[in-house]
Structure formats: C-alpha cells, structure tokens
Amino acid sequence: MDRSSRIVASLTRLTVCLACGWITLGITSRPAGAESSRPNIVWIMSEDNSKHYLRHFDDDGAPAPHIESMAQHGITFDRAFSNAPVCSVARTTLITCCYGPRIGTQYHRRSKLAQLPTDVEMFPAYLRAAGYFTTNNAKEDYNAQRRDEPWDQSGRNASWKNRPNAQTPFFHVQTFTDSHESRLHFSKSDMQKPNQTASDAVRLQPYFPDTDLFRYTRARYHDRMMIIDDLVGGVLEELKTAGELENTFVFYFGDHGGVLPRSKGYAYESGLHVPLVVRVGENVQSLAGRAIGTRTDGFVEFVDFGATVLALAGVNVPDSIDGKPFLGPGVDAAAVDRRDEAFGYADRFDEKYEMVRTLRIGDWKYMRCFEGYLPDGLQNNYRYKQLAFTQWRQLHQAGKLNDVQSQFFAAKPAELLFDLSQDPHEIQNLAASPEHQTKLAEMRSRLMQRLTSMPDLSLMPEAVLYEQAMDAPVPFGQEHRSEIASLLDTANLALQPFDKAQPLLEQRMAGDNPWQAYWALTAASQFGKTAASLADAARPLLNSDQPLVQTRAAEFLAIVDDGFNPWPTLRDALASADNDPEASSILNTAVYVRDFLNRQDGSDAKLRVGYKVGKSDQAQRRLDYLNDQL
C-alpha cells in the first residue's frame, strides 16, 4: 500500500461520534471552551527516572509541587510500567505500541533498524492523517524504520505553537534530559559542592552500600528531579498563557527507570516502574471517564500509551498493535482498574548481553533469567562512568559487602519470584520456597504463554536476526514460530532438576540445529558445576562452524572445568565473526570469563575481530575494555 493509500485508510479509522461533536475526516474549528472539540495531548517525559524518586509516588522521593498539582487536576496511575528498562527500546515501544521482542526492536543500541509490520505505523502518523499537528522536542531514539512520517516537526525547535492555526489540535512530546544518567557522572571534586538535598535526609535502597558517595549520589538525583518538576511547571504555564491548558490532556512520566545502579538497563521494578500523572483540562473532562484528583492501581504499560492518545483524539485504535487504551470514550474505567498484569523485557544493553523476561501480576513478580549465570554487575563501559557503580564494584572486590549488597555481582537463578508487597526492592527470591511452588508454576506458565504467542524473537541470537530478519521481523517470527517454541523448550531445561534435564541437553547438543545446541549449552551453564558431566558432550562444539556455538561451549566448559582455557576458542570464534552482534556476544563472554571466572588470556596479542569494526560498534566498547588491560 502506498503512502497516500495508507493515509486514506488511516482517515477512515477516525471514530464517528456526533454526540461528542466529532466528524470523520476532519474538524477545522475549535470553539473556545467547547467540550465537543478534539483535545490537545501533551506528553512530558523525563529521562531515566523510576517512580521511586518522586514523593508523590514514594515517601522517600523528592518533592515535586508542579507534578503534585497536576495530580490534583487529573489522575495518578500508581502502577505504570515501561516495558523495557532502557531508552531506545522503551521509546520504540511507546511510538509503535508494540512489544519489542515481537517486532524486533528489543536491543539497545540497535545494530540495524527493524522494518515495521505492514499494518503498523508509528502512532502519531495516524494523528497527522486525522488532522492533528504532531511535534516532538527533541529525542526520538527509535529502533524501527519509519514508513509514514509521524511528526510534522521533530527537533529542538519543534513546538505545538507552530501549528497552522489556533483551531488545529496538537499532539506534542517534550523530553527533558536533566534527569539523565549522565547527570550523575560527576567527579570527586564536584562532591565538594553540597546538594540542595542533604545526604543524611535520603534513604538508600538496601542493596546499596551505605557510603557517603551513595548518599551524595541519591541526594544529587533528588535535586535533578526538583529541576524536572520546575520544567514541567514551565510547560504547564506556557499552555495556560496560550489559553490551551484546559483544552489539553498533559501526561507526565519517566521514560523508564533509573538512574542509580541496578535500575536503568535492569528489569527490576527500579528499571520498569515509572511515574505517570495525567492532568485533565476542564474543557475535556468528559473524555477522561474518571473523577478528577483520583488515583488508580490499574496496570498500564508503555504499549498502551499511544493507544490511549488515539482514543482520546477520536481515532480508532488499530487491531495490529499490542496496546489498549486506558482513558478515552468507551474505555471502562472499572475494567482498567482491574488490569493487573505487566510484561517486561531486557536484552542487549549497549555492549552488555543478557536476556531477561518479567511478568508482574498484582504484587507478584516473576523473572526468567535466560543467562542468569551472567552477573548484573558485568562491565558496561558507560555505566561504570558513575562513581557509585565503580565504588560498589571496588567494595565487592574487597569483600566489604553483605549478602544483599553482593547480589549484584553474583550469578542469578534461572527463575526469581518476589512478593512485592513484602519485598519491594526484590532482594528475597522465593522461587525455591516449597510454599510458593504453586504461585511459581502459575507465573511461569503465564509468561511462557506470552513468549510463545508473540513469538519472542530473542530466542534466535541477535546475529541471526541481523542477517535474516530485520527487513521483516514479524513475518520471520511467524515463519519460525515452531522452531522458536522448540528453542524456548530447550532453554527451559534449565528449570528442571539436572538429572531429568541431562539426557535432553545431551541430545540437543548433538543435534543438527546449531541454535538448539546454543540454548542447550546456555541451559547447562545455568546449572554451574552440577552440570560437569556434560563436559564431554560440549567439547565437540568447540569446533562448531557457528562462532556463537563455539563461544557458548567455551563459556560452559570454563564454568565447570577449572583447568579449561577458553581463550583459544574465543579468539578463534572472534576471528570468524562477521557482524557486530556476533562479535559483541563473543566479547561479552570474554569479559565474563576474565572478570568473574578469573580466567586470564595469557596472551600479549590484542583481540582481533574478523571484520573491520566501526568506531560506534558495540564490539569496539568491549575491545577497548579488554585490550586496554592487556
């Protein structure tokens, strides 16, 4: 379908609702104060902050009078979730209203843009077709290739004020970077300047060491959130001055969690649970379907945000997206209040690989760590620019952390189960508790249903998707649905008792499908030294013609055999790599075996990759880290 045909198709999806004053194919006038006019919608996003840093959501958070005032004139969503804990994946989820692992947009930073499904556009394109003026200031950071242009303007000068005339309804996105992770990249000398928030006034998460540096870091972040609040107030004042505030729905939310350690990039609540307040203009209250000044515990996810904007604007929500509106005409508020399920995903985060999937139902949280033997604290160059990250690792290496504080640098079980009503910081894993086995089985079953129904493309290595899938990820997933389901079954052998899993793991390692062997080795690694009896089955795979299978075999043998030297295999695999995801995955293992298994290379030669690595490639980050320490 060409662009003009798609626009016509989009226009026909406008809701006809004469009772509300909407007319298909365009309203060109906006009588002042008339509830029948289509509303403006504004999104205000602050980067890298979970709900935990605002007093409106958490007693230990910072005061934010402007955001709190929004709540008095609107609705607070106490359980709002980014589906991913990092910006490009989260923002792509927002703009497409689709789960990243289903459409191939789950990796941060992208190695290749994913082509959108033929029946999905970035949702502001539907608004444009319906006559809205759409603007974005200024961050995009999408992992998908756009087809129809979603924005009338996008950039530092983009503004709803530039719309053709005062009667044109607008959708505007404003991102504020003052809470971004980089704002915590201060030096030791910077700490001589006191924060506005006193260090002794903050409460640290229990998994952090209680040091002056961590206290200063958290206090500094409270200051950043107060700056964000002032900026939010500025947007509201601009709308008020222009006479548009009461014609507008204003959303404030964080683009994912963060930004102290163990938040951004990690699929804990600190990485996924975001603040969301929607201010409702007086002239558009009838569209909200809720009492003003209220709060709800109903679960809403990033896939739902764009669908909600379309519903408020009177544009039909496409069946091809994953999101469901939580405000707007025809939305049952009581049904939204009963929503209690959120799905999360974390894959490659810059150069750091690990596949994690989460499911939260009510106060229960289930995490499936597909490569749980990889510690959370695995090197990520940009993260460790933060002094708190570096100090945490130094204290771990010096043996000065307690068991809870050390979890970040330890292997994780394949499954984690948390009762968030009792354990909001996710430090008490109940997965092995006999009294919680029924709940564990229920949560596991529900998550696996979701992964197979998508299907989850990450069961194929990113290097395979890079080579074969990114031009049409969704059709690729459908064509390989049965294989992906089978790979999931193999990965889930890590959840069985080892004596039951062992013969099946041997069978998968010996089979013809290299990705079955890949996941069998991964599952075996999860068992640790308990799986040492599989060493003989794994050794032939050191000579696989697939570099990633070689790498997983070397990784497994390094875990179970203290005398095994993985470096010759890793160097050979790296020399055979022919794309960035493949090389990055191999180098991820190299960092793990050196930093956490204490296997030194023993060679003075620099690590070499089998293709010319670009300066911006993720593999280059790993090479810089590893080669600089030779």
Side-chain angles (χ1 to χ4, degrees):
M1 185 182 293
D2 61 23
R3 185 176 187 276
S4 60
S5 298
R6 284 196 299 272
I7 290 175
V8 171
S10 298
L11 287 170
T12 62
R13 287 192 287 262
L14 277 173
T15 300
V16 180
C17 184
L18 296 178
C20 297
W22 295 335
I23 302 176
T24 303
L25 302 183
I27 291 176
T28 58
S29 62
R30 286 170 49 81
E35 288 195 8
S36 61
S37 296
R38 290 183 292 175
N40 308 312
I41 300 138
V42 172
W43 281 3
I44 306 173
M45 273 190 276
S46 53
E47 291 203 85
D48 297 0
N49 64 278
S50 62
K51 66 99 179 178
H52 307 89
Y53 297 100
L54 286 170
R55 182 180 62 188
H56 184 62
F57 293 89
D58 193 296
D59 290 342
D60 297 326
H66 296 294
I67 295 170
E68 292 162 14
S69 177
M70 284 180 62
Q72 293 173 8
H73 296 275
I75 304 130
T76 297
F77 291 84
D78 282 309
R79 294 186 172 182
F81 301 93
S82 173
N83 296 103
V86 65
C87 47
S88 73
V89 187
R91 287 173 175 272
T92 307
T93 302
L94 283 167
I95 201 72
T96 63
C97 314
C98 295
Y99 293 122
R102 181 175 74 84
I103 66 170
T105 59
Q106 68 271 39
Y107 300 105
H108 176 86
R109 313 231 47 95
R110 60 185 176 268
S111 56
K112 186 183 289 187
L113 289 173
Q115 185 62 248
L116 286 173
T118 56
D119 53 358
V120 172
E121 300 289 348
M122 294 183 179
F123 82 85
Y126 300 127
L127 295 172
R128 287 189 75 203
Y132 269 75
F133 186 70
T134 64
T135 52
N136 176 63
N137 190 325
K139 186 171 184 176
E140 294 189 358
D141 203 12
Y142 309 139
N143 293 338
Q145 180 67 51
R146 71 192 71 200
R147 238 187 338 264
D148 281 357
E149 175 56 52
W151 304 113
D152 286 292
Q153 295 180 353
S154 183
R156 295 189 181 277
N157 296 319
S159 172
W160 56 269
K161 298 176 185 178
N162 299 330
R163 66 197 192 279
N165 57 65
Q167 286 71 46
T168 303
F170 57 84
F171 171 62
H172 177 67
V173 175
Q174 182 71 51
T175 297
F176 290 122
T177 63
D178 296 78
S179 53
H180 185 265
E181 168 180 20
S182 58
R183 305 295 181 164
L184 296 185
H185 289 175
F186 53 82
S187 67
K188 290 182 179 178
S189 61
D190 292 332
M191 294 178 64
Q192 301 305 310
K193 179 180 179 181
N195 295 310
Q196 180 179 344
T197 304
S199 291
D200 61 3
V202 300
R203 181 180 297 179
L204 292 174
Q205 294 89 326
Y207 44 80
F208 288 149
D210 193 347
T211 67
D212 290 344
L213 174 57
F214 266 89
R215 286 188 168 275
Y216 182 91
T217 302
R218 171 139 192 173
R220 186 182 181 99
Y221 202 67
H222 281 220
D223 287 2
R224 306 313 302 180
M225 293 312 302
M226 288 188 282
I227 292 171
I228 290 295
D229 185 64
D230 286 341
L231 293 168
V232 169
V235 173
L236 298 174
E237 185 60 33
E238 285 187 341
L239 289 165
K240 182 178 180 181
T241 300
E244 291 291 353
L245 181 60
E246 303 308 333
N247 299 322
T248 304
F249 287 89
V250 182
F251 292 55
Y252 163 73
F253 56 98
D255 71 343
H256 53 76
V259 70
L260 273 74
R262 195 186 180 262
S263 53
K264 182 178 181 179
Y266 300 95
Y268 300 105
E269 294 297 284
S270 54
L272 296 172
H273 196 161
V274 298
L276 172 62
V277 175
V278 181
R279 188 192 188 280
V280 182
E282 290 184 7
N283 298 328
V284 294
Q285 285 185 12
S286 65
L287 302 179
R290 282 186 176 273
I292 303 306
T294 57
R295 307 180 80 120
T296 175
D297 283 337
F299 281 37
V300 298
E301 305 177 282
F302 271 14
V303 291
D304 302 323
F305 282 37
T308 301
V309 170
L310 294 178
L312 289 170
V315 178
N316 278 357
V317 179
D319 293 334
S320 53
I321 65 173
D322 297 316
K324 305 297 181 187
F326 52 82
L327 289 173
V331 175
D332 183 346
V336 173
D337 291 343
R338 291 192 295 272
R339 295 185 192 179
D340 67 349
E341 189 168 318
F343 172 57
Y345 38 88
D347 289 89
R348 180 171 55 74
F349 178 30
D350 294 337
E351 73 271 27
K352 177 183 175 293
Y353 271 90
E354 187 187 354
M355 179 182 170
V356 178
R357 297 292 180 264
T358 70
L359 182 68
R360 178 170 172 176
I361 301 179
D363 283 329
W364 287 95
K365 172 80 169 285
Y366 173 78
M367 298 180 69
R368 174 69 173 94
C369 303
F370 285 84
E371 298 150 299
Y373 52 89
L374 298 174
D376 288 333
L378 192 71
Q379 174 70 19
N380 182 309
N381 292 2
Y382 193 73
R383 307 290 83 70
Y384 279 93
K385 288 184 178 182
Q386 187 181 137
L387 294 180
F389 257 104
T390 300
Q391 184 189 65
W392 199 5
R393 179 164 63 185
Q394 290 170 342
L395 291 172
H396 166 69
Q397 292 169 341
K400 295 183 178 180
L401 301 178
N402 62 35
D403 290 345
V404 170
Q405 295 162 355
S406 296
Q407 288 177 357
F408 190 70
F409 301 96
K412 303 178 293 295
E415 295 180 298
L416 299 111
L417 180 68
F418 302 109
D419 178 359
L420 299 175
S421 68
Q422 304 298 316
D423 178 25
H425 295 292
E426 298 162 283
I427 56 177
Q428 299 294 328
N429 181 21
L430 302 175
S433 168
E435 63 189 280
H436 294 103
Q437 291 308 295
T438 299
K439 176 62 69 175
L440 177 71
E442 291 173 354
M443 300 288 283
R444 177 199 300 148
S445 176
R446 176 61 181 146
L447 180 63
M448 296 311 150
Q449 288 172 7
R450 296 192 69 149
L451 301 189
T452 53
S453 66
M454 293 168 64
D456 192 316
L457 294 173
S458 290
L459 273 301
M460 290 287 192
E462 185 188 6
V464 175
L465 301 179
Y466 178 92
E467 294 287 356
Q468 301 180 25
M470 300 309 281
D471 289 340
V474 172
F476 177 89
Q478 296 304 316
E479 291 166 12
H480 293 81
R481 174 180 286 275
S482 60
E483 182 181 4
I484 289 171
S486 180
L487 294 174
L488 179 60
D489 289 341
T490 298
N492 282 341
L493 291 173
L495 309 181
Q496 298 185 12
F498 179 69
D499 58 352
K500 183 176 180 181
Q502 180 176 1
L504 295 171
L505 290 171
E506 290 178 343
Q507 182 185 67
R508 303 294 196 277
M509 289 183 195
D512 295 332
N513 186 323
W515 310 125
Q516 290 285 0
Y518 172 92
W519 278 112
L521 290 161
T522 305
S525 291
Q526 190 66 54
F527 286 107
K529 290 187 181 299
T530 300
S533 57
L534 288 171
D536 287 343
R539 290 186 197 282
L541 295 170
L542 295 171
N543 299 312
S544 170
D545 59 4
Q546 289 288 347
L548 293 181
V549 176
Q550 287 181 278
T551 299
R552 289 288 158 138
E555 185 176 68
F556 168 68
L557 290 168
I559 290 170
V560 301
D561 182 353
D562 292 338
F564 175 74
N565 180 7
W567 286 99
T569 301
L570 294 179
R571 284 181 172 273
D572 180 58
L574 197 59
S576 300
D578 58 12
N579 62 56
D580 186 51
E582 191 168 52
S584 295
S585 182
I586 296 164
L587 290 164
N588 196 71
T589 293
V591 171
Y592 166 63
V593 300
R594 193 195 69 177
D595 288 2
F596 288 91
L597 299 182
N598 298 314
R599 303 300 172 82
Q600 302 305 313
D601 187 356
S603 171
D604 294 332
K606 298 285 187 181
L607 292 168
R608 304 288 183 186
V609 179
Y611 66 95
K612 186 176 181 180
V613 179
K615 290 182 179 180
S616 62
D617 283 0
Q618 301 308 306
Q620 188 60 54
R621 297 185 181 217
R622 287 295 193 213
L623 290 171
D624 290 343
Y625 175 68
L626 290 163
N627 285 334
D628 285 353
Q629 299 183 47
L630 285 176

